[in-house]
Every structure is written in C-alpha cells, then in structure tokens.
Amino acid sequence: MPFTLATWNINSVRLREEIVLRLMREQAPDVLCLQECKSPVDKIPLEGFQALGYTHMVARGQKGYNGVAILSKIPMEDVSGYDYAELGHARHVAGKLANGVTIHNFYVPAGGDKPDRTINEKFGQKLDYLRDMQAGFLAEKPERAILVGDLNIAPREDDVWDHKKLLKVVSHTPIEVEALAAVQAAGDWVDVTRADIPEGKLYSWWSYRSPDWDTADKGRRLDHVWATPDIAGLASGSRVVRDVRGWEKPSDHAPVFATFDV
DNA sequence: ATGGTTGCCCAGCAA
C-alpha cells in the first residue's frame, strides 16, 4: 500500500493549528512530520487532527522552543529518541509504522549567525549534532527507514537562491555541507527529493524578513526527505507545496512531500 | 555593515 509523507517546519503548532488542519484536508498526507512545534507534548492540539484521521502521534516537546511530532493515519510505535550533542532539546522523534517503515523526524540546530564555533557556540552545537548523527548511523545502519526534517542546511548550489552570496552564510557553508554529506553517507541515505527532482532551483524556506518572499524568491532548501536504499526506489511524487508559504499567518517553511509504494 | 520579521511570552533570545 503506497503512503504519502510530508515534512513541515510549522513554527508553533498551537499558533498554526488551523493551517495544519488545512494541509491535512487539502493534501491529506498519511504521515505528517512537524518541527518547531514549540509546545509541550500534552499541549499539542490533537482533537482536530484526530477528527481528520490522524489518530496516531509520537512526539517530543518542550516549552517555547524546538519540538518534533509525527502525526499519522497509519498505526505507529514510538521507537526511540536521540539527544545528539546532549543539548537537552526536543529535536528528534522516531516512529515505526505498521507497514514496517521507520520514520526519523529531525530538527537540526539552526546554528546562529556566525559560521565560526570559536565565537558562536550555537554553530559548534550544530556541527556536534551532525557529528553525532553520523556516528549514530555508522553504529546502527538504518534499514527500511525514512529520515525527514528541517536539517537547516541547503547542500546544493541549486538549493539556494545565490550560491556565491551564501557561501559564508550559516546553512550553506562548506563545513556544514560536508558534515551533512557525512551524515548521509553514514546511513547510505538517498536524497529522495533530489532523486525525483534532479534539476533546477528548489527551496522550502523563505525568510520572514523578506517582505515580498514570492517575487524576491530568495529561498533555501532546508527541509529534506531521505530514505535508505532498500526503499528509496519505491519513492515518487516528490514536491514542495510552495503555496502553503503564502497561506494566512504562514510558517516560513513550506512542506515537502513524497510518496512511497511499500 | 546593518536591518529587515516572527514566536515565545513580556525581555530578550532564537530563528
């Protein structure tokens, strides 16, 4: 049975409950992975989600910051949660679906403004987090797994609006791109979005600070869908639903979708 | 080089 999955940095699930419901109604992914819920787990507004068929959830939360959740129409078991870099942040949750596929949902640290760990502790935390992800996947090779989330790195030149201008901007620096490539190699992860859409500019995030985000189109592809080689070939239909960035009271991220015929 | 916006919750940090 094929299922469709979406990943979306929601930037407060409580403030944006209405547009989560709208996405569920209009796009109806079977599995919806959220990041930056900014809510304790017991304060996530579940009633409306359940009424639309999303009766299963695994989540990690904290007050005010971070927070990840997987909402699913498919039964799902809570399988683990990593605290990479030992930050004490709610940045990872995983669920094993009844079809045997494990979903890892990550919110990688953004890394602050300056791409230099000697003067910016947050950048060091981001690199440490990526290093620990790499070690984790080397220690335990994932199988029949999908990794999604806001990885806060746009790896390719065509994942950003201007490669040269962003080489020293956190999210597109060579050291981050290399660290992300090491994570990907450690788990043999296939970049499903770029396997489906190999050519051309593709973004999933546009800053709130750009007044005319759609026309200016100074975006970055920070949100990713990866899969292990045993199921990556079953993926299709990848897309960024860009319109969502223009909905009322939007998140600064648009959701990324893929379908897996497992 | 700076400031541009938003969310948390009411100051200032994080993104």
Side-chain angles (χ1 to χ4, degrees), chain A residues 137-149:
Chain A
F137 293 129
L138 283 175
E140 188 177 356
K141 282 278 179 191
E143 293 178 356
R144 289 187 75 74
I146 298 169
L147 183 158
V148 304

Side-chain angles (χ1 to χ4, degrees), chain A residues 217-232:
Chain A
D217 202 18
K218 295 182 173 180
R220 306 176 202 169
R221 189 173 70 101
L222 303 179
D223 302 278
H224 298 266
V225 178
W226 292 354
T228 48
D230 48 0
I231 60 166

